[in-house]
Amino acid sequence: MRPGFVDLQDLLSMPRTVAVVGLSDRASRPSHRVATYLREAGWTVVPVHPLLQTWEGLPCWPDLDQVPVPIDVVDVFRRTEDVLPVARAAVRIGARCLWQQQGVVNTEADRLARAAGLLSVMDRCLLVDHARRLA
């Protein structure tokens, strides 16, 4: 497993590779806005959604286990009760951070991620935190 991040400032200090789990192809959805923002900020966005083939010209993967590149951040846009399997997959693939978006709080997934050495964030928006760091 690759070393993790020291803290949020370390994570947000440079562009990363982010798997956006639950990414929507509808521009009105928060996952679409966050992914678009991160892509424009220089991050590599890896779309993960079982029903999409592509997102904004990028190949979309049905789950984390099939993503062919190393992932720094797993940004989760799923219901709280659906996060634990995503956290397990994040650990399996050697991700460095599990990020549960605003409104998503799965403490069991948080404990699992932290126990595996991942930085874990709950109930926060990656776009908001990144933008604040730049302000």
Side-chain angles (χ1 to χ4, degrees):
M1 179 182 297
R2 297 172 300 157
F5 303 105
V6 175
D7 57 23
L8 285 182
Q9 290 303 315
D10 184 19
L11 171 102
L12 298 172
S13 67
M14 61 178 26
R16 305 290 181 183
T17 299
V18 58
V20 182
V21 178
L23 181 53
S24 175
D25 58 354
R26 293 184 298 183
S28 62
R29 303 294 298 166
S31 61
H32 192 286
R33 286 193 303 273
V34 170
T36 299
Y37 168 85
L38 292 172
R39 192 175 184 190
E40 290 171 357
W43 288 47
T44 300
V45 173
V46 177
V48 178
H49 193 289
L51 302 178
L52 297 179
Q53 297 297 313
T54 63
W55 177 84
E56 300 290 317
L58 298 173
C60 193
W61 303 97
D63 57 58
L64 286 173
D65 290 310
Q66 295 187 45
V67 172
V69 297
I71 298 297
D72 294 314
V73 180
V74 175
D75 191 7
V76 185
F77 285 89
R78 298 289 312 272
R79 290 180 291 206
T80 295
E81 60 269 20
D82 297 330
V83 175
L84 187 56
V86 176
R88 288 183 182 125
V91 170
R92 261 193 320 274
I93 67 166
R96 296 166 53 187
C97 175
L98 176 69
W99 192 293
Q100 297 180 56
Q101 274 295 137
Q102 196 165 18
V104 182
V105 179
N106 187 310
T107 55
E108 189 175 355
D110 176 69
R111 280 192 299 274
L112 176 102
R114 289 178 189 276
L118 280 69
L119 179 64
S120 184
V121 178
M122 295 187 296
D123 196 23
R124 293 177 72 155
C125 178
L126 186 51
L127 182 159
V128 170
D129 281 2
H130 187 268
R132 275 190 191 140
R133 186 190 164 282
L134 298 177

